[in-house]
Amino acid sequence: MITILGAGAFGTSLAISLARTGQPVTLWARNGGADMQASRQNARRLPKAPFPESLTVIEALSDISHDGPVILAVPMQKLRHFLTENAEPLADRTLIAACKGLDLETHFGPVETIRACLPRANAALLTGPSFAADIARGLPTALTLACETTQLGKTLQLALTTPNLRIYRTTDTTGAELGGALKNVIAIACGACIGKGMGDSARAALMTRGFAEMQRLALRRGAQPDTLTGLSGFGDLALTCTSELSRNYRFGLALGREEPFDTSVTVEGVPTANAVVAWAEELQIDMPICTAVAALSNGDYSVSEALQTLLSRPLKEE
């Protein structure tokens, strides 16, 4: 039995993919679970993606199974509160975070947050280049599963692999966390670049120099270099910086075009950028693109001012 807590687009898509194998899957929805169970679809988040027979939707967290892993498909900025609020039923479980970013107050990633809130739980992270719509449609997708131990990773890898989901594993939870978080910041920059009409060449430069910033910070935080060049780092960066299916990229587009953006849409790159600025100051690391994104997102810079700041930096070797 696999339990997924959170019936947003990504949580729902995982539930659909896993249930297609015939194994029982429970999807918890804070609101609207009864309607989803009756209609056999998530009409709001993933219309035209029917639920397999082995997928059950519930509304009461007390109804979740006591067996099997639990996937936490809740936004990063709500994860700490969710774990604290539901500590009793989750305290001794295997918890797999399916969110990306850094907690704005603690600067913890998903795995660190689980460890801090529920120290007896087994903590893991599912991350990588993926869009919910692709997973729900059964299109091939590869993800990284970051676990604290190799044995747990092997067990979960078998449980989460489906015909369209190929799971790779790593024990570098720090690198997987930071790759998934930092790429969102660079995606905002790339969206602003395209939205402002600066062109694909400028976007390629931002992606490349942004990736250098991602590596610079992640390595100082103890990540392994290979993790950042894998699915959870470079792979996720390539997808998020080039598609309008990415919320962070769309947010950047709106900034570049000086258009309003739907405030109900989660944009994890904004709090992550602010956390990165604090880290950069603490560790004395040069993070110009991330710093510019934080200023741009907070309304301290216009896109033109952010560009001028980046272009006026001293020339140096690559």
Side-chain angles (χ1 to χ4, degrees):
M1 169 69 76
I2 295 178
T3 300
I4 299 175
L5 304 183
F10 195 68
T12 302
S13 70
L14 288 176
I16 291 172
S17 181
L18 291 165
R20 283 200 186 111
T21 66
Q23 65 178 312
V25 177
T26 298
L27 176 65
W28 172 77
R30 184 183 296 274
N31 299 301
D35 290 339
M36 290 185 212
Q37 178 66 10
S39 66
R40 307 303 296 161
Q41 66 172 331
N42 187 337
R44 181 184 177 194
R45 300 293 187 183
L46 281 176
K48 301 180 181 179
F51 291 173
E53 291 184 6
S54 61
L55 173 57
T56 302
V57 186
I58 61 173
E59 287 189 348
L61 200 63
S62 57
D63 291 339
I64 67 172
S65 169
H66 297 291
D67 300 317
V70 176
I71 297 176
L72 301 169
V74 298
M76 183 62 224
Q77 299 310 315
K78 296 181 180 180
L79 180 61
R80 180 160 49 97
H81 175 73
F82 180 83
L83 293 174
T84 303
E85 189 179 52
N86 300 288
E88 184 176 348
L90 301 177
D92 299 299
R93 303 295 297 269
T94 293
L95 303 178
I96 307 165
C99 52
K100 302 171 184 178
L102 301 174
D103 186 286
L104 186 55
E105 293 185 15
T106 66
H107 297 174
F108 288 169
V111 174
E112 283 186 297
T113 299
I114 294 172
R115 288 171 180 162
C117 295
L118 302 175
R120 297 201 310 272
N122 293 316
L125 173 66
L126 189 63
T127 185
S130 55
F131 288 139
D134 291 344
I135 295 174
R137 290 171 59 196
L139 299 179
T141 305
L143 298 173
T144 295
L145 176 70
C147 299
E148 297 171 304
T149 67
T150 299
Q151 186 55 52
L152 177 62
K154 289 181 177 180
T155 300
L156 294 178
Q157 185 179 36
L158 289 174
L160 299 178
T161 294
T162 74
N164 71 298
L165 279 182
R166 180 172 177 81
I167 308 296
Y168 291 83
R169 67 177 188 274
T170 180
T171 56
D172 182 14
T173 56
T174 298
E177 283 183 320
L178 291 178
L182 297 174
K183 60 88 184 178
N184 284 334
V185 182
I186 309 306
I188 293 174
C190 289
C193 166
I194 296 300
K196 191 65 175 178
M198 297 176 187
D200 290 332
S201 297
R203 172 168 53 184
L206 279 173
M207 288 176 64
T208 305
R209 298 311 305 160
F211 184 58
E213 290 189 22
M214 289 171 58
Q215 291 178 302
R216 195 178 304 146
L217 179 60
L219 295 180
R220 284 289 297 274
R221 297 289 299 179
Q224 299 172 12
D226 289 350
T227 306
L228 271 296
T229 60
L231 290 167
S232 60
F234 178 76
D236 214 353
L237 177 74
L239 180 68
T240 310
C241 292
T242 57
S243 173
E244 291 194 32
L245 290 178
S246 162
R247 296 184 300 259
N248 292 276
Y249 180 73
R250 291 202 310 273
F251 176 71
L253 281 175
L255 290 175
R257 294 168 178 168
E258 299 183 359
E259 296 175 349
F261 189 78
D262 184 355
T263 56
S264 69
V265 176
T266 300
V267 182
E268 289 289 4
V270 174
T272 298
N274 287 302
V276 167
V277 169
W279 268 351
E281 293 176 356
E282 176 187 340
L283 299 173
Q284 296 186 332
I285 301 176
D286 193 22
M287 303 282 289
I289 297 175
C290 291
T291 300
V293 168
L296 181 61
S297 301
N298 296 332
D300 299 328
Y301 274 1
S302 68
V303 175
S304 297
E305 289 170 332
L307 175 64
Q308 183 58 39
T309 299
L310 292 173
L311 292 179
S312 62
R313 286 171 49 76
L315 300 175
K316 63 177 184 178
E317 290 185 341
E318 185 174 25

